Amino acid sequence: PSRARQAVSGPLKSRLEQLKKPWWREPTPLVLQHSETARLAIDAFLEQGERGYLSAITEERELPFLSTLDMEYMSHQRNQSFPDPNAMKDKEADPGDADTGDRSSVNSELTSGTYFPLMSDVHPPELELGWPGMPLLTVSGLTQATVIFQRNKANSIKDLLRSLISRARTVIAIVMDLFTDMEILCDLLEASSRRHVPVYLILDEKYLKHFVEMCNKMDLTQDNFPNMRIRCLSGDTYYSKAGKKFAGQVLEKFILIDCDQVLAGTYSFTWLCSQVHTSLVTHFRGQIVAEFEKEFRYLYAESRAVTSFCVPDPGTCSSSQNTSTAANSLLKPPQVNNAETLSPSSSLSNLTRPLLQLETGC
């Protein structure tokens, strides 16, 4: 089989070779299906590192499609603990089962047996702080969309964002990759504690430590978030045939206000994004908001609770060691207790990621 593969270049390399021929006039067919060549190369990288990857690329006569950034990310992420490492213990202890190459079998003991979320007969779990119904104008109204670019200083993204938060009345739901902007956090604290607006915040797990650092600098503990639920989530999980794995990141960025309007785009909650990075958001109203509402519920169901804060003593917040300790404490998976349970009737399955526990009480 390997000799047969060597006789023909990989699909990506073959297409590039044709595109480089100035006399070639026939259009190259667009191939959208799964690339087995790419899968073999990725598996080789996860199991043997860059040397194994390059060897597989050579054997498959394919282009080295992974960038240095891709390889560095996968090297850092592979075999790291997942949000619920105890749930994976039994499966990892049996390499025979993990070597089947079937993603669904790897997760078979971790799912509830329900369908893929978008096709599920099980409704997403209710959010404990309350969740308003979709306004009639949102359900029946035409979709409206306005694009705001950060380069337009007269129409500031951050000002619009803060203005929407200040006018929220029933719910604020946020999915964010990086959150280090203290002003926005203060806006959320005021909305949740002073105006009693439920706030749900889902953060990317990889960058959660930066949110923790901000909270430590502000001397905030979990007691300061009585009407907020802070959760974290990783992206999808890639499994190799040999059981190696790594998780992606959550790069969705949107804020849902009162189930009535949404800001979504490339803007992160950081000082740099508000001042120097170029970015954009689209301000949505109308029927399309229901799609964001649905997506948030699914992400919430897959996320895990951030249940503990470790704040350094006053005067030592600048210590990188203390910040690191605090981040590690917050990142520990919550222990199963009476306040946080998992039941088949209130969970959603995912084809590539194990189910995670949901909070069911304060």
Side-chain angles (χ1 to χ4, degrees), residues 122-146:
V122 178
H123 295 292
E126 294 299 323
L127 288 86
E128 64 184 274
L129 298 177
W131 192 262
M134 296 291 293
L136 181 60
L137 289 178
T138 298
V139 176
S140 59
L142 295 176
T143 294
Q144 304 173 29
T146 305

Side-chain angles (χ1 to χ4, degrees), residues 14-15 17-29:
S14 295
R15 187 183 186 199
E17 288 172 349
Q18 291 181 0
L19 292 172
K20 284 182 175 180
K21 297 175 181 178
W23 62 87
W24 192 274
R25 291 293 180 264
E26 295 182 17
T28 305

Side-chain angles (χ1 to χ4, degrees), residues 38 72 218 252 284 292:
E72 288 177 350
M218 298 172 74
E252 296 177 69
F284 293 106
F292 286 94

Side-chain angles (χ1 to χ4, degrees), residues 11 34-43 53 57 60 62 65 238:
H34 165 76
S35 172
E36 181 65 11
T37 298
R39 187 193 67 78
L40 291 171
I42 296 296
D43 284 6
Y53 160 72
I57 286 295
E60 298 291 325
E62 184 56 280
F65 57 90
Y238 183 96

